[in-house]
Amino acid sequence: MATSAAVKEDEAPATRFAKDQLKAIIERIERLEEEKKTISDDIRDVYAEAKGNGFDVKALRTIIRMRKQDANERAEQETILETYLQALGML
């Protein structure tokens, strides 16, 4: 029966490379996930600060979402919303 050290020595270079590459990919993903969590925490803190200063967080989130949209897409959605609101007598 071979020991684990002997098995490692018997590995083909391609197999060793694939394992090393897989390990590097996993470590990169883990590092990025940690960074993503940190950024999410920072964003949550900024929203909490805005709320503490009297800003409406829901409105801020809406504005952020709208700013991400293409201007034409946003205008189309606003037109549709206005049409619906007018049809319901809400304007």
Side-chain angles (χ1 to χ4, degrees):
M1 193 180 330
T3 64
S4 62
V7 170
K8 284 191 176 184
E9 290 174 11
D10 292 341
E11 281 182 357
T15 302
R16 198 168 334 137
F17 175 76
K19 286 182 179 181
D20 291 343
Q21 189 178 29
L22 177 61
K23 182 179 177 184
I25 288 170
I26 295 298
E27 288 171 351
R28 284 174 49 203
I29 291 170
E30 288 172 340
R31 195 169 42 253
L32 290 169
E33 288 289 343
E34 183 59 37
E35 289 176 21
K36 183 170 73 171
K37 182 186 178 310
T38 301
I39 290 170
S40 292
D41 292 344
D42 291 346
I43 291 170
R44 187 174 35 253
D45 291 346
V46 172
Y47 278 117
E49 178 184 341
K51 184 176 182 176
N53 288 326
F55 292 101
D56 184 316
V57 172
K58 188 173 180 180
L60 294 176
R61 289 184 189 278
T62 301
I63 291 168
I64 297 296
R65 187 176 62 251
M66 290 173 68
R67 287 173 55 116
K68 288 181 186 178
Q69 291 178 328
D70 175 63
N72 293 330
E73 180 184 345
R74 186 173 61 240
E76 181 181 342
Q77 287 183 353
E78 289 172 354
T79 301
I80 292 169
L81 179 63
E82 185 177 321
T83 301
Y84 288 2
L85 290 173
Q86 191 168 6
L88 295 170
M90 296 176 68
L91 288 181

